[in-house]
Amino acid sequence: MTTRAATGPGLDITAIRKEFPILSQQINGHPLVYFDNAATTQKPGQVIKALTDYYSGYNANIHRGIHTLAEKATKGFEETRVAAQHFLGAREKEEIIFVRGVTEAINLVARAMGSRLLKKGDEILISGLEHHSNIVPWQMIAEEVGASIQVIPVSENGELDLSALDTLLSRKTKMVTVNHASNSLGTINDIETIIDKAHEVGALVMIDGAQAAAHIDIDVQKLDCDFYCISGHKMYGPTGVGVLYGKREHLEQMPPYMGGGEMIREVTFKKTTYNDIPYKFEAGTPNIADVIALNEAFRFISRISKDSIRRHEAQLLDYAARQLTRLKGVRLVGTAREKVSVQSFLVDGVHPFDVGQLLDARGIAVRTGHHCTQPLMEHFGIEGTVRASFAVYNTQEEIDAMIEGISRIKGFLQ
Ligand code: PMP
């Protein structure tokens, strides 16, 4: 049994770390320093336990069964829907659709909404900060219907230049889709302004919340976005599960994304009628265990509180940026005023991949490369960066270990 850390201000990070079994190991003879949280966070004991409890205690398919195990599994699954509704501030639980993650959520909307909403000559507005998963699905649908993609430009410090919105948005704009926070640079985007301006021209807005869910309070009703999506694995939950929020009016209009069991009302060889939302979009046996365990990730975050998580991570980010800046030959990439705890950087004369490998030899996990944002890297004229991203269980001492590691790299390579 893992111990549970207390909540409130002044987090007990030592206790929080004890909740994450993976963190207590050595990598290459050094204590693991895990700074790849923007790729995926580690999982607390309560999430892992929910998975094993399901498989060892009540594994059964949901919705269709009337036996005890099926009822228990269905209850757990549907409880997560209500938890997700509250986590995102949605009006109704029917507006919550379980998907594999943000990638699937965006593909679902691009396909289902795009095929109905878009026609030749229409425009889809994205931003220069987008992950490939918020670029490619839109390119695919745009190509199919003859629409085009417009891009909000990125300034030197990694913020979006929203002054361009007035020229980019027009009655031709049917869909605006941007991330809440950038996975490569950490920039928190002013999505309130983007949503308001997009709605003024009648466009719908989708927000990719992959990098926001673990850090920023989300209230989809207040934001008034049309769609919002998150991935469980980036917020202390399991892989292979995510949530798509959509306003009821849109979800009801949208055609299904996949056909199969569960998403139907009645099937004949002549015609099939579809189930109500959200089930219309949940064809087949879903990822039951991971949906149930996702609820524990929501519980973990609300126990620690996003406010406390954000404050702790802001201190780490600020400390890391200051220490990295002090190193000769290190350049920060992404210095927006509002950021989640992601810091990209470059070490003069050393390929990011080599920095990553040399840090790994000291037990420090960072990510290197283009972070699935090739257009953004191209904008900065670089191939990629080294990216350190922090979570609630990280410490200043771990940043010191990374700084020590980087400061030795140059000598190492000579
Ligand atoms: N958008 C952003 C901003 C991301 O960081 C990621 C994951 N790196 C994705 C989308 C895709 O998320 P997933 O792989 O969980 O579908």
Side-chain angles (χ1 to χ4, degrees):
M1 240 345 246
T2 45
T3 46
R4 295 242 174 134
T7 56
L11 293 176
D12 182 350
I13 303 299
T14 309
I16 289 174
R17 289 180 69 83
K18 287 202 183 116
E19 295 192 46
F20 291 80
I22 205 168
L23 294 178
S24 57
Q25 67 182 299
Q26 304 263 314
I27 298 283
N28 298 321
H30 297 269
L32 167 65
V33 172
Y34 187 78
F35 284 166
D36 197 16
N37 295 289
T40 198
T41 57
Q42 298 302 346
K43 321 302 173 201
Q46 72 193 86
V47 168
I48 300 166
K49 183 172 179 299
L51 291 170
T52 54
D53 282 356
Y54 168 77
Y55 283 122
S56 54
Y58 59 104
N59 172 52
N61 211 331
I62 54 167
H63 295 141
R64 291 168 290 253
I66 46 110
H67 58 80
T68 306
L69 296 188
E71 277 178 4
K72 188 170 176 190
T74 303
K75 184 165 173 285
F77 185 89
E78 290 300 330
E79 275 172 7
T80 305
R81 200 184 303 277
V82 175
Q85 176 201 348
H86 295 144
F87 188 81
L88 295 174
R91 193 180 311 126
E92 315 170 61
K93 65 181 189 322
E94 289 76 15
E95 294 177 317
I96 299 296
I97 296 162
F98 291 117
V99 286
R100 276 196 299 135
V102 162
T103 303
E104 188 180 17
I106 295 171
N107 276 277
L108 190 161
V109 175
R111 195 120 296 275
M113 199 69 195
S115 64
R116 181 144 300 192
L117 184 79
L118 295 170
K119 55 182 188 337
K120 197 169 166 36
D122 282 344
E123 293 178 357
I124 300 158
L125 181 61
I126 64 172
S127 93
L129 283 173
E130 298 314 307
H131 188 279
H132 294 165
S133 63
N134 203 21
I135 302 173
V136 184
W138 300 107
Q139 285 174 328
M140 287 159 63
I141 193 74
E143 195 172 336
E144 220 171 282
V145 301
S148 67
I149 308 278
Q150 308 293 316
V151 184
I152 307 171
V154 179
S155 66
E156 211 32 51
N157 67 350
E159 291 179 7
L160 290 181
D161 176 7
L162 297 189
S163 67
L165 278 182
D166 291 335
T167 40
L168 285 168
L169 285 167
S170 74
R171 289 278 155 196
K172 281 198 250 168
T173 317
K174 292 293 169 348
M175 182 60 113
V176 177
T177 176
V178 294
N179 60 44
H180 199 161
S182 152
N183 63 307
S184 290
L185 307 183
T187 313
I188 298 174
N189 292 313
D190 178 3
I191 56 168
E192 288 82 356
T193 299
I194 296 172
I195 293 165
D196 285 351
K197 295 221 166 200
H199 282 167
E200 277 171 25
V201 296
L204 299 185
V205 185
M206 172 148 200
I207 304 296
D208 164 358
Q211 296 296 335
H215 314 280
I216 307 170
D217 273 326
I218 301 160
D219 184 336
V220 291
Q221 284 187 75
K222 210 150 124 207
L223 286 169
D224 196 31
C225 53
D226 299 283
F227 302 97
Y228 194 105
C229 53
I230 60 175
S231 284
H233 72 98
K234 294 193 197 280
M235 43 162 290
Y236 309 105
T239 53
V241 61
V243 172
L244 168 67
Y245 156 82
K247 282 183 183 166
R248 174 183 274 277
E249 63 203 85
H250 303 319
L251 295 178
E252 281 181 342
Q253 268 181 35
M254 284 158 61
Y257 171 59
M258 282 200 289
E262 199 66 24
M263 52 73 74
I264 53 93
R265 183 178 304 286
E266 194 174 72
V267 179
T268 69
F269 285 126
K270 273 217 174 94
K271 186 172 168 54
T272 290
T273 50
Y274 304 130
N275 206 339
D276 294 332
I277 62 164
Y279 306 112
K280 183 171 83 173
F281 295 103
E282 293 180 356
T285 300
N287 192 352
I288 304 164
D290 293 306
V291 167
I292 290 171
L294 178 62
N295 202 352
E296 293 303 325
F298 291 137
R299 288 189 178 118
F300 172 80
I301 289 175
S302 76
R303 172 162 54 89
I304 309 289
S305 102
K306 267 200 202 170
D307 209 37
S308 303
I309 294 174
R310 178 104 189 260
R311 242 178 297 139
H312 173 67
E313 290 173 346
Q315 280 170 8
L316 293 177
L317 180 70
D318 181 57
Y319 183 71
R322 275 189 289 121
Q323 295 303 98
L324 283 166
T325 312
R326 286 175 54 191
L327 290 179
K328 223 169 128 217
V330 170
R331 171 159 73 91
L332 303 186
V333 183
T335 51
R337 288 161 292 181
E338 294 287 330
K339 283 179 56 160
V340 291
S341 48
V342 169
Q343 188 59 63
S344 263
F345 59 93
L346 291 167
V347 181
D348 204 17
V350 189
H351 195 279
F353 183 80
D354 293 328
V355 177
Q357 270 201 327
L358 290 160
L359 288 176
D360 182 58
R362 302 172 75 90
I364 302 164
V366 292
R367 184 140 297 239
T368 65
H370 54 62
H371 319 297
C372 296
T373 55
Q374 277 180 339
L376 178 64
M377 297 296 120
E378 199 189 332
H379 169 75
F380 283 115
I382 55 182
E383 256 179 67
T385 70
V386 184
R387 181 186 72 185
S389 50
F390 311 115
V392 68
Y393 40 68
N394 290 128
T395 65
Q396 200 162 303
E397 291 72 36
E398 290 181 310
I399 293 171
D400 290 336
M402 178 180 75
I403 296 295
E404 162 85 5
I406 297 167
S407 61
R408 288 184 177 222
I409 282 174
K410 287 216 129 183
F412 210 105
L413 288 179
Q414 273 156 16

